Amino acid sequence: MDKNLYGREISSAEWEGDPTILEVSQKCPAFNMENGKWRCQRCGNSEQLIKGPCNCGDDCFFCAACLNMGKLKKCTLLYSLPEINEFPQLTHSPLTWEGELSAEQKRASDAIATTWAERGERLIWAVAGSGKTEMIFQGISDCLQAKGRICIASPRIDVCLELAPRLEAAFSGIPLALLFGGMEDAYCYTQLTIATTHQLLRFKAAFDLLIIDEVDSFPFHNDKTLNFGAEKARKPNGALLYLTATPPREMQKRVKQAKLVATILPARYHRYPLPEVTCKWLGDWRKSIQKKNRRSLLMKYIHQLIQSERRFLLFMPHIGLMKELENWLHLLYPELSFTSVSAEDPKRVEKVKAMRQEQYRFLITTTILERGVTFRDIDVFVIGTEDRVFTESSLVQIAGRAGRHKDFPTGLVWYGHYGQTRAAKRAVRQIISMNNEARKGGLLHAKLSDV
């Protein structure tokens, strides 16, 4: 039997293995009638169904919501094999990470291990830079030793690419699969998987422990299709863990109503406060870029960052303006090494890696780097916080890029704007509130002068 079908759900058109395997697989229609509507069994969509001619000769249609994963038609069958956890029995802990958790990290780690043991559901609400990745290691180790199958999923490719080498190092003897759209390597059955949340649509009752990192991030948040895929991908008795620094309001409401168990960590592992935000009025910064006004407030603050000789990130709301600013800055500062990066950039992975290796003085970016990436010692300048792309959640996450490293726990965070928004004000209040909670709990160094 081909192990690659265990816990997977695939149509006959997509299957590239031995066709006789499909004959002994479980079969189900690609669409079911539910409440008077046809519903896609791969993604749960019942709205985006497109009629079209088909060789089946019937009144056929396909699902447009998951079309990027292959056309799924009404006349198609979905095939799967039950996940039987065909993994070797481990005789000792597979965790090869030798670091030490802080007391707060250990509290969260124990809660995660309990959630796995009880096959429960839990939110880990921990500020950016609290060390969430290290907190999940023990729970993963316990699941691996029980021959359980684990998936760590994130809506962002960049987060998955950052997680993969860290998990490989922490569990050096466990094969790991990294799944995302456009990946070059063929899928391989493994006990430990890192995947974008879109890839969960390809699984059915596969994972004993499903961890969704950055649960509030686009496109997972408010996407019924991706939430359907996540629920379908874990086993009925599987444990579910959410990780984020900025849970959605409806999730916070569930916590307050005691409908969702949460472990809240208001402090970073190195016990220094979150860098608090300074708001900078920029005037019409868009016109400043278009007119190339060197005396504008925008250029004053960028020049100030450059003169400080520190490395930094410039966040911008739109790719067009980002490229325009980049081209202008190359003319003004030809001696500096910097670049821009966005979701459309084919070299995004290489550029982020180069920034991490300190080959660039600064990076101009869209919100793709708002979360899940760590640079050793940087300042952060958000340009145009009045744009609606900058939500409360994204602004808190962006601020969390600064001061993450224990040897460099401080950094400037500026919100540049042409008018304050409710989202920006809430983000500033949320950061202050978390620092206050951490101080009340005795989780920060006693004196700010210790920073």
Side-chain angles (χ1 to χ4, degrees):
M1 190 62 69
D2 193 320
K3 294 181 182 180
N4 284 348
L5 204 54
Y6 289 148
R8 295 277 277 181
E9 188 173 60
I10 197 164
S11 71
S12 56
E14 296 173 276
W15 180 246
E16 297 178 351
D18 185 348
T20 60
I21 292 176
L22 297 183
E23 297 176 9
V24 296
S25 303
Q26 292 182 344
K27 308 174 184 67
C28 74
F31 294 84
N32 279 347
M33 179 67 75
E34 299 179 17
N35 299 321
K37 288 185 177 181
W38 288 105
R39 191 183 197 197
C40 175
Q41 297 304 293
R42 180 164 65 186
C43 72
N45 164 58
S46 59
E47 304 297 332
Q48 301 178 54
L49 305 181
I50 310 299
K51 289 186 177 182
C54 180
N55 294 333
C56 71
D58 198 359
D59 186 18
C60 203
F61 54 80
F62 65 89
C63 179
C66 56
L67 185 59
N68 62 334
M69 311 200 86
K71 183 178 285 189
L72 196 62
K73 298 187 291 186
K74 175 175 174 279
C75 60
T76 308
L77 291 176
L78 289 171
Y79 297 85
S80 63
L81 287 176
E83 174 58 63
I84 61 172
N85 298 72
E86 196 170 301
F87 308 113
Q89 181 63 63
L90 301 175
T91 57
H92 59 277
S93 171
L95 182 58
T96 52
W97 181 71
E98 296 180 349
E100 186 174 342
L101 298 176
S102 68
E104 283 292 278
Q105 285 178 306
K106 182 65 166 58
R107 178 170 69 88
S109 174
D110 291 344
I112 291 168
T114 298
T115 302
W116 151 248
E118 297 176 350
R119 308 300 192 269
E121 182 178 347
R122 181 179 295 269
L123 165 66
I124 300 295
W125 182 353
V127 296
S130 58
K132 290 189 291 293
T133 303
E134 290 75 16
M135 297 175 199
I136 66 176
F137 287 167
Q138 188 58 55
I140 291 174
S141 178
D142 292 350
C143 186
L144 290 171
Q145 289 182 83
K147 298 181 68 174
R149 194 176 184 189
I150 304 106
C151 180
I152 303 98
S154 171
R156 300 291 183 93
I157 292 176
D158 302 272
V159 175
C160 294
L161 294 174
E162 173 115 351
L163 283 173
R166 297 172 69 180
L167 268 292
E168 285 179 325
F171 299 93
S172 57
I174 304 296
L176 181 147
L178 175 60
L179 309 179
F180 56 90
M183 61 186 183
E184 296 179 0
D185 296 336
Y187 169 78
C188 184
Y189 178 70
T190 56
Q191 192 173 4
L192 184 58
T193 299
I194 295 175
T196 56
T197 49
H198 278 90
Q199 294 298 313
L200 295 178
L201 295 171
R202 298 189 182 276
F203 291 90
K204 182 177 181 179
F207 301 110
D208 300 276
L209 173 59
L210 176 58
I211 301 170
I212 303 181
D213 195 10
E214 308 296 357
V215 68
D216 61 302
S217 178
F218 176 85
F220 185 81
H221 179 47
N222 282 338
D223 189 317
K224 293 181 180 179
T225 292
L226 296 181
N227 281 267
F228 175 90
E231 193 59 39
K232 186 182 67 151
R234 69 163 173 155
K235 290 183 179 180
N237 64 339
L240 179 60
L241 189 68
Y242 302 110
L243 307 178
T244 185
T246 49
R249 290 190 177 275
E250 61 269 23
M251 189 170 277
Q252 295 182 35
K253 186 177 180 181
R254 288 177 61 201
V255 172
K256 290 178 181 178
Q257 294 173 340
K259 294 179 180 179
L260 175 63
V261 179
T263 300
I264 302 174
L265 284 78
R268 287 178 161 177
Y269 73 97
H270 52 46
R271 295 176 62 85
Y272 293 106
L274 299 167
E276 294 186 3
V277 178
T278 301
C279 294
K280 303 279 190 180
W281 188 75
L282 302 179
D284 193 342
W285 59 272
R286 290 175 175 83
K287 185 180 288 186
S288 300
I289 295 173
Q290 292 161 354
K291 298 284 187 180
K292 293 182 171 51
N293 182 1
R294 297 184 63 173
R295 295 186 177 182
S296 65
L297 288 171
L298 172 65
M299 289 310 301
K300 170 189 171 182
Y301 293 129
I302 291 177
H303 183 71
Q304 189 174 326
L305 288 173
I306 290 172
Q307 289 295 104
S308 72
E309 298 188 353
R310 285 177 52 77
R311 298 171 66 246
F312 58 93
L313 296 175
L314 286 180
F315 282 87
M316 297 194 68
H318 302 292
I319 295 173
L321 283 166
M322 180 187 74
K323 296 301 294 184
E324 201 170 342
L325 178 61
E326 180 193 10
N327 293 336
W328 184 25
L329 290 177
H330 276 303
L331 292 175
L332 295 177
Y333 302 98
E335 74 283 3
L336 294 182
S337 176
F338 64 92
T339 189
S340 67
V341 66
S342 71
E344 297 179 359
D345 194 334
K347 295 183 179 179
R348 61 190 283 190
V349 176
E350 295 94 317
K351 288 180 177 180
V352 173
K353 182 178 180 181
M355 182 66 179
R356 191 177 291 114
Q357 294 173 345
E358 303 186 6
Q359 296 174 23
Y360 292 125
R361 176 67 187 286
F362 64 93
L363 200 60
I364 314 174
T365 178
T366 59
T367 56
I368 63 160
L369 296 188
E370 73 179 29
R371 63 183 77 216
V373 292
T374 298
F375 304 106
R376 193 171 65 99
D377 183 25
I378 58 166
D379 294 330
V380 172
F381 185 15
V382 188
I383 299 172
T385 60
E386 73 279 359
D387 195 286
R388 60 176 159 183
V389 73
F390 291 121
T391 63
E392 175 188 352
S393 171
S394 69
L395 287 170
V396 171
Q397 292 282 1
I398 287 169
R401 299 310 99 201
R404 297 171 70 88
H405 196 282
K406 63 181 176 62
D407 296 330
F408 304 94
T410 63
L412 292 175
V413 179
W414 291 347
Y415 287 173
H417 64 89
Y418 189 27
Q420 283 277 38
T421 63
R422 184 178 298 177
K425 291 176 181 177
R426 283 177 172 170
V428 171
R429 287 199 298 267
Q430 186 178 150
I431 292 167
I432 294 171
S433 175
M434 280 296 191
N435 280 339
N436 288 340
E437 287 299 313
R439 289 190 184 95
K440 289 177 185 176
L443 302 175
L444 300 181
H445 288 295
K447 299 178 182 178
L448 286 176
S449 58
D450 293 337
V451 178

